């Protein structure tokens, strides 16, 4: 939960395993809150990796930047499910989302 004027900067690095799942939930509850999350995932062989992100803007004037990159080798698998929800009262929010997997 992010309050007024708070900032979160997170980096995620995933190498995979039999199953590697990461759930990320961020809630903007104060104006001028900012989220910056980046991640890289690198499964190989028979590994699997699974990312789920959920960012919610409940108030106005918040920013979210989300960038994930993946390199998937051999018979590995990867799932990325990203959601950014802008509530009705969260006008003037800024959102950037970028996810690129490479096989």
């Amino acid at each position: 939960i992010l309050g007024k004027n708070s900032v979160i900067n997170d980096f995620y690095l995933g190498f995979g395993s039999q199953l590697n799942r990461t759930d990320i939930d961020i809630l903007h509850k104060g104006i001028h809150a900012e989220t910056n999350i980046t991640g890289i995932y690198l499964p190989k062989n028979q590994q699997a990796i699974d990312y789920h992100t959920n960012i919610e803007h409940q108030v106005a004037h918040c920013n979210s930047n989300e960038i994930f990159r993946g390199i998937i080798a051999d018979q590995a698998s990867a799932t990325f499910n990203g959601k950014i929800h802008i509530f009705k009262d969260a006008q003037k929010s800024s959102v950037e989302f970028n996810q690129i997997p490479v096989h």
Side-chain angles (χ1 to χ4, degrees), residues 17-28:
S17 61
Q18 187 173 9
L19 176 59
N20 180 338
R21 180 172 176 152
T22 303
D23 292 313
I24 303 164
D25 290 303
I26 299 171
L27 178 60
H28 292 102

Side-chain angles (χ1 to χ4, degrees), residues 24-27 52-56 66 81-85:
I24 303 164
D25 290 303
I26 299 171
L27 178 60
H52 295 267
T53 66
N54 179 46
I55 300 174
E56 296 188 359
E66 183 173 2
N81 182 8
K83 178 178 119 178
I84 299 174
H85 182 195

Side-chain angles (χ1 to χ4, degrees), residues 1-10 26-37 55-57 59-65:
I1 297 176
L2 296 176
K4 182 179 179 181
N5 297 320
S6 59
V7 177
I8 185 168
N9 295 305
D10 271 348
I26 299 171
L27 178 60
H28 292 102
K29 284 192 151 277
I31 64 168
H32 302 291
E34 182 175 333
T35 297
N36 300 296
I37 59 175
I55 300 174
E56 296 188 359
H57 290 237
V59 297
H61 302 286
C62 294
N63 297 315
S64 290
N65 301 296

Side-chain angles (χ1 to χ4, degrees), residues 14 39-43 49 68-73 78 99-103:
I40 298 171
Y41 49 93
L42 306 162
I49 195 156
F68 276 78
R69 300 284 191 265
I71 299 174
I72 303 148
Q99 191 273 333
I100 299 174
V102 176
H103 294 272

